[in-house]
Amino acid sequence: MRRAVSTPCKRSVPLGFALLLALPLTGCGLFTATPGPEDIAKVFLTGFGGGDTAGAAGVTDDPNGAKALLDSVRTALKPAGASLKPEPGGATNGDNATVQFSANWDLGSGRNWSYQGTLQLKNTEQGWRVHWQPSDVHPKLAAQQTIALKVQQPDPAPVLDRDGTPLLAPTTVISVVLDRKQAGDLNSVAGTLAGALNRFDNTLTQQAVVDGASKLPDGQGYQVINLRDSDYQQVKTQIHDLPGVSFTSQVQLLAQDRSLGPQILSTIKAAVNSQVAGQAGYRVVTQDAGGNEIAELVAKSAQPAKSITATLSTGTQAAAQAAIAGVPQAAALVAMQPSTGELLAVAQNAPADAQGLIALTGQFPPGSTFKIITGAAALASGKVGIDTPQPCPATVTFDGREIPNENKFDLGTVPLRTAFAQSCNTTFAQLAVNMPNEALTTTAKQLGLGADFTVPGVTTVTGSVPVATSTVQRAEDGFGQGKDQASPFGMALVVSSVVKGSIPTPSLLRGTETKVNTPAQQPVPGPVLDSVRQMMRAVVTDGTARAIKDIPDVAGKTGTAQFGDGTQSHGWFVGYRGDLAFAVLLVGAGSSGPAVTVAGNFLRALH
């Protein structure tokens, strides 16, 4: 056995020895005792596990060869952490020794890989060194081999509608990638691509492809488009053999019907992506220099996630989309089940989609649909009933503010139900003026307008009805102008509350819990809501929504809501039929008539 000497101070100490902090040093930096095989093994294992591959390789008898493989393994595994340490059971025989070790690799995402191994050490002129061989990394790793980590992603789970029909399902997507350096004549290739692919994206022109590819550094491919496999098959013969064009595929969660609520389905997809992704599987393998797999060291199968069920109804959503598809203005339709609060449909046309998810969060004056709330507040006061005579003059004036009926119609004195059915602004302005300042705000909250929810899967805003601070504001608020604001979602909730008798808690994803962020409200008394329902039915049988009186059992309220400088108006119609409540908004339509037509088309398509 060689022994340490105490004279020269020029002795070089390998970098890995710096990890032997537990060994006391004296004089000019010499070890007071020669590090033994377990000490050297600890330096190697700690350095390798902690990422100090140079330090680990420095205590082997082949530092260059060791560092190359150690770097390769760590690059392949990309560990979040690792614990490698000597274990009891080693032996020393002259200038040869063995040290047992345990390895535990944290490969991230809950993946842990553990195994046992053995290091061979030799006592050399420089002291004990790990005798380098690939098996120092893993017992099954041989010469000219390395380790690879192969991740196996499961296909995402589908999102189903309330009846089990897929809304979003795993779909193969092909990415078309262009490398401008390999394309040769870039303009020619770009022109062919644009000609074939423009049918899927009308912004995809020859110049757009050239510009996109030219902005990237050499060697970096430009992703021209992602195509569903069914779309790719349509153009495969035109683009498959183009120079510089390559294709990659992956599975993504996509809508089965591209026209079926792209805004709401996109929102659902973003909300549930992590829940439907499943848990990736993985394999750690040895492979040769050519990348051929030699042996499997550890494997765990991918764990698919369970499907998620949305409350949407494919049939109801399709009927809603079809009803608004041909509307030139931005249009939105929300349908809800009053008994449960479950959203059945959230539909928008393309002009509305360009503004975001206005069906659920847009804030618009509700116009005369707000008379549902004003009527409930008036009836709850006990001062009027649905047959109480009420004046409906052509105009009324409060503090200099003239409020007219539409086209200044004059009904004289009529029962409240008639004033409601014919949508007398003057009647409901006067009712509101006779109420306390907070009356409309309180009743609106009792019916859900102004309520705040955290609905898993989507953002919603019902609306707001600030407490009136003047006579004019009370008058304007009374027929849905003034400072009243509502979304189609908010008005669908109001109607649902009238039908159910209390505010239902809205939901979109089954198995999740909606958080109610506003204090519980005292429900509007049942007899009051009975009267409101009668007035809403009269709107369809004898009032402003007579255009759909052929549809049985429909009740509702029309609304024309001025905005801007008062020369433009939104069109509303909200209502219910059985356990289906809905709200239709046509932005800038000018009157409620087109909204009634949309609602009629929607309801007829359901039966």
Side-chain angles (χ1 to χ4, degrees), residues 511-548:
T512 63
E513 185 175 351
T514 295
K515 182 180 179 182
V516 181
N517 301 319
T518 46
Q521 300 294 315
Q522 185 73 25
V524 174
V528 169
L529 294 179
D530 286 339
S531 295
V532 172
R533 295 181 200 116
Q534 292 180 52
M535 293 195 300
M536 292 176 69
R537 177 64 179 147
V539 170
V540 178
T541 58
D542 303 298
T544 53
R546 287 188 300 274
I548 59 171

Side-chain angles (χ1 to χ4, degrees), residues 370-384 428 431-432 435-436 438-444 446-447 524 528 532 535:
F370 192 83
K371 290 171 184 171
I372 295 171
I373 293 168
T374 307
L379 291 165
S381 73
K383 297 178 181 180
V384 297
F428 284 83
L431 288 172
M435 297 178 193
E438 69 281 355
L440 293 182
T441 303
T442 299
T443 304
Q446 288 178 304
L447 293 175
V524 174
V528 169
V532 172
M535 293 195 300

Side-chain angles (χ1 to χ4, degrees), residues 554-580:
V554 180
K557 184 68 191 78
T558 56
T560 301
Q562 292 181 345
F563 67 96
D565 61 3
T567 62
Q568 303 178 77
S569 300
H570 304 310
W572 286 88
F573 184 61
V574 305
Y576 66 92
R577 184 185 186 194
D579 199 20
L580 171 72

Side-chain angles (χ1 to χ4, degrees), residues 418-444:
T418 302
F420 186 91
Q422 300 300 330
S423 204
C424 291
N425 293 340
T426 55
T427 302
F428 284 83
Q430 185 64 65
L431 288 172
V433 166
N434 293 337
M435 297 178 193
N437 286 355
E438 69 281 355
L440 293 182
T441 303
T442 299
T443 304

Side-chain angles (χ1 to χ4, degrees), residues 163-176:
D163 301 314
T165 302
L167 293 169
L168 299 163
T171 305
T172 300
V173 175
I174 309 297
S175 293
V176 180

Side-chain angles (χ1 to χ4, degrees), residues 342-360:
E342 293 184 338
L343 286 164
L344 302 175
V346 180
Q348 299 190 161
N349 62 3
D353 283 347
Q355 300 178 40
L357 199 49
I358 63 172
L360 299 181

